[in-house]
Amino acid sequence: MILDSMRSKELYYQLCPRFKKAFEWLESTDLKNLAPGRHTIDGDDIFVNVQELELRPREQAALEVHNTYIDIQVVIEGVEEFGWTPRSEVKQPRGEFDPANDIGFYTDTPKMFYTMHEGEFCILMPQDAHAPMLGSGPIKKLIVKVKK
């Protein structure tokens, strides 16, 4: 898991060949006026899910994992809290992994929590079990899905 400011995005281009294109799209797009839903950047290799939703309390944290995609999550409006645990340490699956949607859930309690503000992003790799959408109140966020 990486947590940083958009000002430092270039530091992470070397982690995945598609990151540069994803971050350039973020920088060149009017994110505040982006409509909710899916927006394609590069076919199924890079796309964005825009969400406007109400956050939930920590007690409702659901750890999730992905196999095919890396998440770059960006807060557009509001403040969001995340739970996190190394994937190697989660042991309590909540059902089977869904390969069609590249997601699996766990009922384990997150090992730690962190907070993201507007202008910040986190990169969540397949080895990161993460519990997004925590806190209180409304939020607008982007989840950039980058094929690894």
Side-chain angles (χ1 to χ4, degrees):
M1 186 272 303
I2 295 168
L3 174 64
D4 207 337
S5 161
M6 290 298 283
R7 292 184 307 269
S8 302
K9 62 191 176 305
E10 293 90 0
L11 296 172
Y12 306 102
Y13 291 176
Q14 64 187 338
L15 295 178
C16 175
R18 295 183 177 96
F19 277 5
K20 183 176 183 189
K21 188 171 196 171
F23 278 110
E24 286 174 346
W25 182 89
L26 287 168
E27 191 170 67
S28 67
T29 303
D30 180 4
L31 302 178
K32 288 197 183 263
N33 291 312
L34 206 54
R38 180 180 164 142
H39 302 266
T40 300
I41 298 171
D42 188 12
D44 286 333
D45 289 343
I46 309 171
F47 60 92
V48 176
N49 290 320
V50 179
Q51 298 179 334
E52 293 180 359
L53 49 90
E54 288 288 324
L55 298 173
R56 56 186 177 219
R58 277 188 182 186
E59 298 77 39
Q60 294 179 20
L63 287 164
E64 62 184 64
V65 297
H66 310 292
N67 291 339
T68 304
Y69 287 93
I70 299 165
D71 282 0
I72 302 173
Q73 300 212 16
V74 182
V75 173
I76 303 304
E77 296 174 0
V79 176
E80 181 178 14
E81 188 175 32
F82 286 75
W84 178 87
T85 300
R87 185 176 185 165
S88 61
E89 294 181 20
V90 292
K91 306 295 181 205
Q92 300 169 31
R94 188 180 80 201
E96 296 293 318
F97 186 87
D98 178 356
N101 292 305
D102 190 40
I103 196 163
F105 292 98
Y106 288 82
T107 60
D108 301 67
T109 301
K111 186 175 188 174
M112 65 165 274
F113 292 88
Y114 62 94
T115 303
M116 277 189 12
H117 300 87
E118 293 177 31
E120 296 177 337
F121 68 89
C122 66
I123 298 174
L124 298 157
M125 305 297 259
Q127 66 264 24
D128 296 311
H130 54 284
M133 300 179 291
L134 304 177
S136 63
I139 190 169
K140 182 173 184 178
K141 68 181 285 185
L142 304 175
I143 304 167
V144 183
K145 304 297 278 186
V146 180
K147 193 176 238 181
K148 63 178 189 170

